Amino acid sequence: MRSSLLLVPALAVLLQLAACQRNVAVTTPTDAPQTGMAGNVSTPVPTSANTIEPTPQSDAVFDASARPKWLADRIQRHLNAEKQNPPIHIYSYQYDGATVYYESSPCCDQFTNLYAADGKLLCHPDGGLTGKGDGNCPDFTKKRTEEKLVWQDPR
């Protein structure tokens, strides 16, 4: 019994010695590279503005007076409602020879809306559970042209 009691402290000391390393030194080089560069390659200074974010165009479509009344009313309803995440966007396109307005959905699995120039709902081009819309305009993404951002929720 005594021998087992003496083994416990000895085992604890051995485990402590094995688990802890001694005299470990971590150093960080502080000398600058001799050539002034870390390697043979230098990174050039950016020469242009960020091209990932779309740059708003100053077309008449951004002028509130050029928007159809139904579209201005729709935008006002969005502004009066709670802010959506992601924010609502409205784009205009040419589709089958006519101007149409595409309204994004606020979130997940909701239909987007495609309106004719007179405000009539044409279809839901995408969204929904399948992500393919209601199927009434399956060629919209292939045939649309002349995309212009008409409005996005600024909040």
Side-chain angles (χ1 to χ4, degrees):
M1 178 99 169
R2 277 189 188 180
S3 63
S4 63
L5 289 177
L6 292 175
L7 287 177
V8 172
L11 187 58
V13 170
L14 286 175
L15 287 174
Q16 185 179 15
L17 288 175
C20 298
Q21 295 181 353
R22 298 185 183 252
N23 298 326
V24 175
V26 177
T27 60
T28 303
T30 56
D31 294 337
Q34 292 179 353
T35 63
M37 296 184 341
N40 293 335
V41 179
S42 66
T43 303
V45 176
T47 57
S48 64
N50 185 354
T51 57
I52 295 174
E53 294 295 322
T55 304
Q57 300 172 359
S58 59
D59 295 342
V61 75
F62 288 97
D63 182 5
S65 63
R67 293 181 183 146
K69 173 147 177 41
W70 70 267
L71 184 58
D73 293 343
R74 185 109 184 119
I75 291 169
Q76 191 57 51
R77 269 188 269 154
H78 285 302
L79 290 171
N80 291 339
E82 185 178 323
K83 178 185 173 186
Q84 301 295 316
N85 186 17
I88 301 291
H89 291 77
I90 299 176
Y91 293 90
S92 70
Y93 294 96
Q94 291 298 307
Y95 172 64
D96 285 341
T99 300
V100 294
Y101 294 93
Y102 173 88
E103 177 184 51
S104 67
S105 63
C107 188
C108 333
D109 297 336
Q110 295 181 24
F111 285 127
T112 58
N113 300 316
L114 187 66
Y115 297 99
D118 63 1
K120 177 184 172 195
L121 180 64
L122 298 174
C123 65
H124 304 287
D126 47 31
L129 292 177
T130 64
K132 297 180 180 180
D134 62 3
N136 291 330
C137 52
D139 60 349
F140 173 69
T141 55
K142 293 179 183 176
K143 289 179 137 184
R144 66 186 182 188
T145 61
E146 299 182 37
E147 177 182 88
K148 294 179 184 172
L149 178 62
V150 175
W151 178 82
Q152 75 179 36
D153 195 333
R155 301 175 285 168

